[in-house]
Amino acid sequence: MTYDLYIGDRTFSSWSLRGWLMLEKFDLSFRSHMIGLYSGTMTSDLANLAPARLVPVLKTADGLVVGETMAMAETLAERHPDKAMWPTDPAQRARARWLCAEMASGFFALRDACPMQLQHVNKGFEASEAVLADLDRIEELWAGARSLSDAEAGWIFGDYSLADVFYAPVAARIIGYDLPVSDQARDYCMQVIRDQVFQRWRAEGLKKTYDPFPYPKTAQTRAWPV
């Protein structure tokens, strides 16, 4: 069974990263198709995938179109129970779903102020009180999940899961804007961006250049740490 995954620009599309990771990290067969996120062709590119309006979009071998990453995650986990995409422990599985749902529906201050970009680190970015509140909540969620899984370091629930998929762009934002978090949280973020699969995604994105760069830079930037 081979899926078709429709994604936006790799350097910037956080939701596309989630869709790609849930297929790539769990070794599911798929083909990637680029949608014109910044070229103005997204509507026409998605015309044959109605009612999808945003990326990513998943199309199954039998023609089923699935939009929204939470729906994609549940669909893939249901179709491939052998991949253990959710934690096997029921309490941890429930908590992982909670983390993913809160990510999908919240943290608007962080998402608005720090759009994902994988090109450089913005030095001297000043986080607002709202962004700091989002970061506090994220750390609270991660710490609570780790108390269930007894995973003091590494992936949130010990083994890689959909929770790590959903928070990969958060980790990239924390690193990309040098945001203030605890050492434990920063170590986790560094593990995310050091992961070889994440690095392959970023490397593909860097093949495309942008002039002008879509998002504002701070006065100074430094190289991406990996």
Side-chain angles (χ1 to χ4, degrees):
M1 179 185 295
T2 298
Y3 296 96
D4 287 286
L5 180 69
Y6 298 82
I7 59 174
D9 297 56
R10 291 172 182 256
T11 300
F12 308 108
S13 182
S14 58
W15 294 104
S16 295
L17 171 59
R18 292 182 178 97
W20 187 84
L21 284 174
M22 66 179 70
L23 290 159
E24 187 70 24
K25 285 292 291 185
F26 291 98
D27 197 27
L28 299 176
S29 177
F30 71 102
R31 297 175 290 257
S32 293
H33 308 273
M34 188 63 64
I35 297 298
L37 194 60
Y38 291 96
S39 64
T41 63
M42 185 164 70
T43 299
S44 58
D45 290 345
L46 293 175
N48 294 326
L49 298 167
R53 295 189 303 161
L54 301 170
V55 289
V57 182
L58 182 72
K59 189 174 182 179
T60 68
D62 54 358
L64 176 67
V65 174
V66 184
E68 297 294 335
T69 49
M70 280 300 299
M72 290 169 55
E74 291 289 8
T75 298
L76 292 171
E78 183 180 73
R79 285 172 171 243
H80 303 279
D82 57 308
K83 298 295 185 179
M85 299 176 77
W86 293 115
T88 54
D89 176 78
Q92 294 180 35
R93 186 164 62 249
R95 185 64 62 88
R97 286 189 167 111
W98 179 352
L99 263 64
C100 292
E102 189 157 339
M103 176 63 255
S105 63
F107 308 125
F108 293 112
L110 175 64
R111 286 153 63 176
D112 288 346
C114 305
M116 190 187 81
Q117 59 79 28
L118 305 179
Q119 191 174 91
H120 56 259
V121 175
N122 285 293
K123 293 175 64 177
F125 175 82
E126 295 186 9
S128 67
E129 289 299 319
V131 170
L132 294 174
D134 277 353
L135 293 172
D136 286 344
R137 176 57 177 167
I138 289 164
E139 291 216 48
E140 179 183 22
L141 290 171
W142 288 353
R146 290 187 183 282
S147 70
L148 280 179
S149 66
D150 293 326
E152 294 183 4
W155 304 120
I156 296 174
F157 290 94
D159 294 327
Y160 192 91
S161 75
L162 286 165
D164 300 295
V165 167
F166 271 72
Y167 281 85
V170 171
R173 285 176 165 96
I174 289 171
I175 297 302
Y177 292 84
D178 198 20
L179 298 176
V181 294
S182 68
D183 289 343
Q184 185 186 46
R186 186 164 296 278
D187 287 346
Y188 171 67
C189 294
M190 289 301 299
Q191 174 167 337
V192 169
I193 69 168
R194 285 191 182 111
D195 183 76
Q196 291 186 352
V197 174
F198 184 99
Q199 290 192 59
R200 288 209 311 272
W201 168 274
R202 179 174 180 266
E204 284 297 313
L206 293 180
K207 292 178 181 179
K208 183 174 181 179
T209 58
Y210 298 85
D211 186 17
F213 195 73
Y215 297 118
K217 297 182 181 180
T218 53
Q220 291 184 310
T221 63
R222 67 169 179 263
W224 191 256
V226 178

